[in-house]
Amino acid sequence: MEQIHNKLLESSKTYASWHNHPHHKKIHWGATIAVAVIVLLLVMNGVQKWRNTAYNFVTVEFSQRSAVLTLDPQTKTVKVGDTFAANVILDTDGKPVDGIDLYSLHYDPTILTVVDDNTTKNGVQITPGTSLDVTAVNSVDPKTGTITFSQASQPGSSFNGKGVLATIHFKATKKGTSALKFDFKIGSTRDTNVAHAGRDQLANVVDGLYTVQ
């Protein structure tokens, strides 16, 4: 820096004249502070833009998912031999949906048995609700305690609101406690989903817990 300073003094009369000015040090520091302030403002502006971008991204991501699947009742106590119903409630939070997959619901088959609600077909089925028009899958595996259910709307239509997606009738066969639990991980398309136009809308699920005395 000293060499550059000396060369400027030798080669530039303007620089030499400014350097000999009685207030050149004040001017020098003033200019340095001004440059530092400008750089700081530019950096802060860049950080603020990044924060705004990140914040907007998070807001958009969470606002897209708002549907909820709930089991009703969430808890219940019954006696051995009793039969009771558990409804799967769909709440779209005011947004349209056109497809629902329960992949899957799980219960303890040593404590509860699903009552077949359609004896005209092979296997064990639950009762479909009327929220959507087409029931594509309706199957119960009594050995593993797995319920798989899927509904879709007719092309060009959708469901918006809150209603019973399906009803499961259980018979209590043994004392104990059984959860009725959704397979669900937010963002996954290989488990329980509520969709519209191919995009998953499911934000949360509420499981059930049933006790047999």
Side-chain angles (χ1 to χ4, degrees):
M1 291 297 293
E2 185 67 24
Q3 291 178 352
I4 295 173
H5 171 69
N6 292 332
K7 286 183 178 181
L8 286 173
L9 286 174
E10 294 173 359
S11 61
S12 174
K13 292 182 178 180
T14 302
Y15 182 79
S17 176
W18 171 79
H19 184 266
N20 292 327
H21 193 280
H23 300 296
H24 83 278
K25 289 186 177 180
K26 293 182 179 179
I27 298 171
H28 173 77
W29 282 109
T32 302
I33 293 171
V35 170
V37 169
I38 291 172
V39 172
L40 180 61
L41 289 174
L42 289 173
V43 171
M44 291 178 64
N45 186 54
V47 171
Q48 184 63 36
K49 286 183 178 179
W50 176 83
R51 290 178 63 190
N52 289 341
T53 300
Y55 175 78
N56 289 337
F57 172 78
V58 172
T59 300
V60 170
E61 174 64 20
F62 280 95
S63 67
Q64 289 177 347
R65 302 176 188 274
S66 57
V68 178
L69 288 170
T70 307
L71 292 172
D72 181 33
Q74 294 175 27
T75 61
K76 190 173 181 66
T77 300
V78 297
K79 295 181 180 179
V80 173
D82 287 351
T83 300
F84 67 96
N87 292 314
V88 182
I89 306 296
L90 168 65
D91 186 351
T92 71
D93 191 38
K95 298 179 181 179
V97 300
D98 53 24
I100 298 102
D101 294 324
L102 301 184
Y103 284 167
S104 303
L105 270 171
H106 300 278
Y107 64 95
D108 188 337
T110 66
I111 295 173
L112 299 175
T113 299
V114 175
V115 178
D116 186 12
D117 285 338
N118 188 350
T119 57
T120 63
K121 291 184 177 182
N122 293 330
V124 178
Q125 291 88 36
I126 63 177
T127 300
T130 58
S131 299
L132 280 77
D133 306 311
V134 180
T135 300
V137 179
N138 186 351
S139 176
V140 179
D141 186 336
K143 293 183 179 180
T144 62
T146 303
I147 301 169
T148 306
F149 184 81
S150 180
Q151 277 192 334
S153 62
Q154 294 287 355
S157 63
S158 60
F159 173 76
N160 185 337
K162 185 176 182 179
V164 177
L165 178 67
T167 300
I168 308 160
H169 291 98
F170 286 109
K171 183 175 182 179
T173 55
K174 181 183 175 182
K175 291 183 179 181
T177 300
S178 172
L180 182 56
K181 184 175 179 61
F182 295 94
D183 275 336
F184 173 68
K185 181 179 180 181
I186 192 164
S188 174
T189 58
R190 301 190 178 205
D191 55 9
T192 297
N193 291 282
V194 175
H196 179 252
R199 301 190 68 173
D200 189 10
Q201 306 293 318
L202 187 58
N204 192 27
V205 297
V206 180
D207 299 329
L209 190 66
Y210 308 126
T211 300
V212 181
Q213 295 181 339

